[in-house]
């Protein structure tokens, strides 16, 4: 069973564009919050998932305020 997401295309890639975080995002290394809810992220090109966590695809995106890459699921993104 796979869940569909509004921001994913049929070939399981994240649609390119600008999104806002719907949740604070923590570092996978330290557990500290590194990106705040409501801040902007950019998806360049067709972004393929880098992994899955409990069946949910995980993507690497660029966090605009910090200019760093962060990891999000489709549920973490809004327009």
């Amino acid at each position: 069973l796979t869940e569909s997401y509004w921001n994913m295309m049929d070939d399981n890639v994240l649609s390119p564009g600008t999104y806002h975080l719907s949740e604070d995002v923590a570092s996978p290394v330290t557990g500290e919050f590194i990106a705040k809810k409501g801040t902007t992220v950019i998806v360049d090109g067709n972004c393929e998932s880098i992994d899955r966590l409990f069946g949910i695809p995980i993507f690497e995106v660029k966090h605009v305020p910090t200019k760093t890459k962060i990891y999000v699921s489709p549920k973490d993104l809004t327009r």
Side-chain angles (χ1 to χ4, degrees):
L1 180 67
T2 59
E3 190 170 347
S4 65
Y5 301 97
W6 66 271
N7 48 6
M8 286 183 60
M9 296 187 283
D10 290 337
D11 49 358
N12 290 322
V13 297
L14 195 57
S15 300
T18 302
Y19 297 90
H20 299 283
L21 294 175
S22 60
E23 303 289 335
D24 291 344
V25 175
S27 165
V29 176
T30 65
E32 293 180 60
F33 288 107
I34 55 174
K36 299 289 185 186
K37 177 180 178 177
T39 56
T40 304
V41 297
I42 294 175
V43 176
D44 292 321
N46 293 332
C47 182
E48 294 185 24
S49 71
I50 59 164
D51 207 349
R52 294 182 87 76
L53 182 64
F54 303 112
I56 299 171
I58 303 298
F59 298 93
E60 184 179 75
V61 299
K62 182 178 181 182
H63 186 240
V64 173
T66 61
K67 297 178 177 56
T68 60
K69 295 193 186 260
I70 61 171
Y71 301 99
V72 298
S73 76
K75 293 179 179 182
D76 296 323
L77 303 174
T78 62
R79 281 277 183 191

